[in-house]
Amino acid sequence: MSSHVSATTPGAKPRKPRTTLWRTIVLHRYLYFMLLPCLAFFIIFNYIPMGGLLLAFKEYKFNKGLLHSPWVGFDYFKQFFNSYQSKQLIVNTLIISSMKLFLYLPFPILLALMFNEVRNKWFKNISQSILYLPHFLSWVVVIGLVQRLLAPDTGLLNEFFSSMGGDGSTFYMMDPKYFYQIMFGSHMWKSLGWDSIIYMAAIAGVNPDMYEAAKIDGASKLREICSITLPSIMPTVVILFILSLGNILSAGFDQLYLLRTPGNMQLSDILDTYIIRVGLQGGQYGYATAVGLLQGLIGLVLVVIANRVSRKVSDTSLW
Amino acid sequence: MNDFYKLSAGERIFRVVNIIIITFLCLSVILPFLNIFALAFNPGKDAERGGIYFLPRMWTMENFKKVFEASNIATAFGVSLFRTIVGTISSVLLTAMAAYALKSKTLPGGKFFMMIIFFTMLFGGGTIPFYMLLSNLHLTNTIWVYIIPSLYSAWNLIIFRTFFQQIHPSLEESARIDGYNDLSIFMRVIMPLSRPVIAVIGLFTAVGHWNDWFTGAFFVRKASLRPMSTLLQEMLTSAEAMRDTLNQAAGSTRYQLLDKIQITGNSLKMATIIVVVVPIIIIYPFVQRYFAKGVMIGSMKE
Amino acid sequence: MSRKWLKVLTLPVMVSMLLSGCAGNNSTNDASKDEGSNSKNATTNNAAATNATASNSTDGKPASWIADRKLKGLIFMDSDDYTEDMNPDIKAEIKKETGIDFEIELMKADHSIDGLIAGLAAGDLPDFVAFYLNNSGRPEMPVVLKAAREGMFTDLAPLYKDTKVFSKYLQDGFLPADTQYGVMFRPEFNGSAYFTHMNIDRNGGQVTWRGVGGPYIRKDIADALGVDPRTITTTDQLYDLAKKIKAGNFKDDNGAPVTPIGPRYWGGQEVGALFDDLEWGATDQRIKADKDGNILHEAETDYAIKKVEYVQKLLKEKLLHPEFFTMDESRATEGAINGSWGIVADMHSYQDFEQSLRYEPIGPINKVDGSNQKVLDFKTGYSAWAIPSTTKNPEDIVKFADWLASRQGKLLWKYGIEGRDYTLDAKGNPVVKQEVLDLKAKDPNAAKALGFAGVGNNWGDILGSTDNDNLADFGEANYGDNANANQFPAVEKIAEYYGLDQKNKDALVVDAYQPTAFLGEFASGTDLKTAMDNYNDSLVQAYYAKDLDQAKKILDSALKQLKAAGLDDYLKMLKDKNADPKTKVKL
């Protein structure tokens, strides 16, 4: 990508090997100046509280504090894996978050591409403004709307089916058969417009000259999208995808907590809801921290792998 | 639309289908929102009779009057506005600066710093250690608890960096030849060229500030320092949370306790949602301009 | 976390603040200033406290004077009853009588108990904290108990001694068993008490609330069918009644057909009172002893499958609303108000929409043992407060609570200010002013600003609501009765119709623990609690299962989980507890 930058940066011409590093640092002094507060910030606001992760191995006592509370080793991890629910929880979490990661991925990109093809400015502005509105509703409100829409007998969907002569009494929220559709549909409705914004910004950055050139070559719209737009926004897509992999073991607490009914609970119980439930009961902070640590570790492994693959294949990477 | 007829048949169908799909998506959003609107403008008692879909049965501003009469709404609005403006400007500027520094492939330690920053997206110590930190820094119960702990965001930083990496290096080179240092290159070359990404990250940050209710609920105790989003969240969930608690308690006292929960009427909730959402709706078109194609003519790498 | 370490780290923060401009600059200054003024405050506070004790003997202070100081409380309860803004007149009155400058802050967030834990961990709590706690089986209990064991709270027992009201807590037989041995004076504390459990009635088994709660039927429907709802005492009769309602083709206010049995007024949930002869124990407990004294969980009895069979039958014949167990509150309320349900599963006679007597109470349905004797708790408590060990002069808070719990205090926080909000009659009892009642009816929010319990502002509850006997203290059971306000015309009519007085007289008064109260001390308590919740969910799942076989499978697996989580050992433990007179269990 910008591999030739180094050659043009003044500090990169080595003269005396011993002082090279120091010279490079001095030459980049402005960059360090710009970076330093950022590093300080992350150390203070992220790394110091990370001391709290010790809780995963300790039994927290108020009067002893974090450092002096007694160690319990891997007890909480053992407790989690011995729990009859752990397998189910992990499977459910993986299914739901994979749907949101992989299945959902193309939709915001598609929407951004579609917006890009709208020529009528007025229509474009209004429709964009409308589509990102659901982002501002909290899940409580969204699920409330979903429940009304899908209510047996009185819900809009059931009324529609019964007016068509079908059975209008399906209890969608209680039936595990419909759980994934409802989960995915409500997620899509709430996030689609908002998530497409970042891709629209990426598309806005594509050099228009390239489209002009393509037009002269007589390329079709589809070709234009496949060979100009998509490759241009690929780095953004890849980076966003890698970032979201880190969260593979958290599938969205609020939505799932509210969608959970006795009927669909074999599918809708996930790690996040479990942590809150268990963490709250008896203030088992150590246990909740241990499960949270596991989530982070698995995310880390996946991101490192994805980052390595991506660096080899597309020259785009986080570090 | 003049050039519409010059297009091939395939492209014409493509455009029409495109518009139909977008319209359909918009309808799926508008209809529920009309319902929220109708409930917000309908008298609460009357709404309890049900049957209100897309238009109020009778119009009233009563719900909005009540929302604005609620004790803290004006201060809460001020808090939200302050944190959104100050928080967004400082955060976008600082994050972009750090992202520009990390963009450089020659910066010694750059990769390591990047990993340090990315790592924070995966692991956190939890609410309690964070609370203890904020309390030790004397940030709890001050307005700065909204600004300082969210000055940088790893996610935003990575997006900034990804966009900066695509700016053509020749622009920086020529600036350097003109005698600019890294800081002035950032301010005078990079920032002006990055308007779409600044607009996007600015929008994300602003909306994040506007929507964040958690900080106001957990790290602030003074009622006068709570933002709108916290008030709305309390309104939406607190009565239900209390009812969940009470439902587990048996006996005749339960009814007396249930009576004590004065649930905020649906109409009032809907009115509050509208009060929270409208300012952001108004801002969006101004931000949107920067997504328009061609802002960065010739500046991106081919 | 060590402070030195933090100071070193503040340096980069200050650099970053400098960078972010003058805005950041101000905040660093504020922070350092705060630190300085904090320590100064502490000393002045102490000085003020000593001054107050010194000046106590001097004239000009009322007998109720405590100390010239600020008292700040943090309340972890989700309720609209409490507001942080105190009425200035009321505040001035408190100051005048006691010298206390009283202030409360609320943490209303979901899971606000997390806020308590964080505050405890950071040593950052105000003078006192209050939280929801109705019995020792509550989820809050392990948290506060842990804090107490680890020395985070002040021992209150010695402080009760010199008080008028709270000294009753030290007398035998005043507190209910659970409050005494489960919450406050736990054996492990050797006579110390770290939480004050509130809302204990002065006399056991007294019923001051005149309402009737439970399932109600629309009066016009009962009349049209010629049914006396009081004669419906079994679920079989209920089934027949529901069928008749269905056959009667009744309509609601919007002209839509009526659903025979609708959910509770407050939203869908299993309602014990409706299926009582199929319920094994209370719906939140599901543990009960059979005739031979064996303690069983509902999952181990055939009532589970019988209930499933019954509910499936109701659902299949469309007699029970399909969303009976899950409907959200606003729609459930909508249905009750519009008359969309022939039978409302649970409501009560104080509710606004019932004041026109549109509904009348059913049954009650008999319990599994065939009786319908009412069971009353000897006394119950809910909500509690504690004083963090960091608070200076904790005795001031106990004295202040004692004052609030006295007649003088209660008069202030229940009735407001004499002359402004009420007048005193010849016997010295408060008569609420009509204009206050009118304001309350017309604009509840404006009334609430007057700042006392009668108008819905319950700040006094937190520290002062205990040793309650409104009738003895103020000559009326409910706020406004002396003024003959007749705010709830339906209440007495329903009470008479239902035979409330007789039922209360015949009631069995029990002073015992809830069966689930010991989960906290049970080794695999968390697992068992999860399994019990799972059973509740499985039950609903079974109601909606395709057929009875599938339902049986669901219930079997739920029972297996209960057993795996140690149900048998827990029930054995309950048996032992029940044998101990200090820990009688409600079975």
Side-chain angles (χ1 to χ4, degrees), chain C residues 42-349:
Chain C
T43 39
T44 40
N45 262 354
N46 272 345
T50 34
N51 275 343
T53 20
S55 61
N56 231 354
S57 50
T58 59
D59 290 347
K61 299 266 194 287
S64 52
W65 187 262
I66 296 165
D68 185 9
R69 71 173 282 186
K70 194 175 209 168
L71 271 190
K72 207 178 198 182
L74 185 56
I75 315 304
F76 297 93
M77 275 188 269
D78 276 316
S79 170
D80 289 346
D81 285 350
Y82 310 122
T83 53
E84 281 147 335
D85 312 315
M86 303 257 305
N87 177 284
D89 296 340
I90 302 249
K91 220 175 145 139
E93 186 70 18
I94 301 172
K95 182 85 192 163
K96 197 181 92 200
E97 291 296 323
T98 63
I100 301 288
D101 188 6
F102 188 60
E103 236 176 60
I104 55 171
E105 287 174 335
L106 304 176
M107 198 169 237
K108 276 190 177 181
D110 266 356
H111 319 305
S112 61
I113 198 78
D114 287 0
L116 176 61
I117 296 169
L120 282 167
D124 181 26
L125 291 174
D127 299 313
F128 73 92
V129 293
F131 39 89
Y132 186 80
L133 187 81
N134 66 333
N135 64 53
S136 56
R138 290 286 317 165
E140 290 85 354
M141 195 61 197
V143 177
V144 289
L145 205 52
K146 181 175 159 65
R149 284 180 187 139
E150 288 162 16
M152 304 305 287
F153 294 133
T154 303
D155 178 12
L156 302 169
L159 304 177
Y160 293 146
K161 277 189 193 119
D162 302 324
T163 61
K164 290 193 197 78
V165 176
F166 287 102
S167 57
K168 291 188 184 177
Y169 278 37
L170 300 170
Q171 292 163 12
D172 270 347
F174 180 77
L175 295 176
D178 182 53
T179 296
Q180 177 135 26
Y181 303 110
V183 178
M184 293 182 62
F185 301 93
R186 293 174 68 91
E188 60 174 311
F189 292 149
N190 293 319
S192 296
Y194 296 96
F195 334 104
T196 308
H197 209 191
M198 297 299 287
N199 296 281
I200 311 288
D201 285 339
R202 190 171 300 158
N203 304 303
Q206 73 184 19
V207 188
T208 50
W209 194 66
R210 302 286 301 156
V212 172
Y216 275 64
I217 181 170
R218 242 173 73 181
K219 190 172 174 352
D220 59 323
I221 292 181
D223 290 347
L225 296 173
V227 175
D228 180 350
R230 286 170 296 187
T231 60
I232 307 294
T233 53
T234 66
T235 42
D236 289 336
Q237 287 171 308
L238 183 73
Y239 169 71
D240 292 336
L241 177 62
K243 266 175 98 164
K244 277 188 210 157
I245 298 177
K246 176 118 189 132
N249 282 323
F250 296 99
K251 296 277 186 279
D252 71 4
D253 295 353
N254 299 329
V258 155
T259 306
I261 305 178
R264 299 156 73 233
Y265 174 84
W266 302 275
Q269 191 189 347
E270 177 154 3
V271 179
L274 200 57
F275 311 127
D276 234 358
D277 60 4
L278 299 170
E279 296 280 353
W280 189 256
T283 39
D284 60 334
Q285 307 286 329
R286 302 197 194 278
I287 292 175
K288 192 177 159 57
D290 68 6
K291 282 189 200 88
D292 310 321
N294 298 316
I295 302 174
L296 296 171
H297 187 274
E298 186 179 83
E300 301 171 289
T301 67
D302 7 309
Y303 286 101
I305 198 72
K306 268 195 213 159
K307 193 161 63 178
V308 169
E309 213 176 334
Y310 181 72
V311 172
Q312 282 198 348
K313 185 169 71 177
L314 290 180
L315 282 172
K316 219 161 271 162
E317 299 179 27
K318 304 225 170 219
L319 301 176
L320 190 70
H321 195 284
E323 290 172 278
F324 183 87
F325 302 96
T326 51
M327 187 181 291
D328 68 279
E329 165 151 17
S330 54
R331 279 170 59 219
T333 305
E334 223 170 72
I337 290 175
N338 286 325
S340 307
W341 331 128
I343 293 170
V344 178
D346 195 7
M347 54 177 271
H348 66 76
S349 52

Side-chain angles (χ1 to χ4, degrees), chain A residues 207-276:
Chain A
N207 189 345
D209 296 348
M210 291 161 74
Y211 291 113
E212 286 305 318
K215 217 169 247 173
I216 291 161
D217 290 353
S220 72
K221 201 87 245 174
L222 201 66
R223 260 211 75 127
E224 208 179 284
I225 290 171
C226 289
S227 55
I228 301 174
T229 318
L230 275 183
S232 304
I233 64 168
M234 221 9 126
T236 313
V237 175
V238 170
I239 290 288
L240 283 177
F241 177 72
I242 296 177
L243 288 181
S244 55
L245 270 182
N247 293 324
I248 193 145
L249 277 192
S250 52
F253 171 76
D254 280 340
Q255 183 198 11
L256 273 299
Y257 179 78
L258 291 160
L259 275 180
R260 183 181 184 279
T261 65
N264 64 27
M265 65 179 187
Q266 318 102 293
L267 301 178
S268 59
D269 248 343
I270 56 167
L271 282 172
D272 302 80
T273 48
Y274 177 75
I275 288 182
I276 295 280

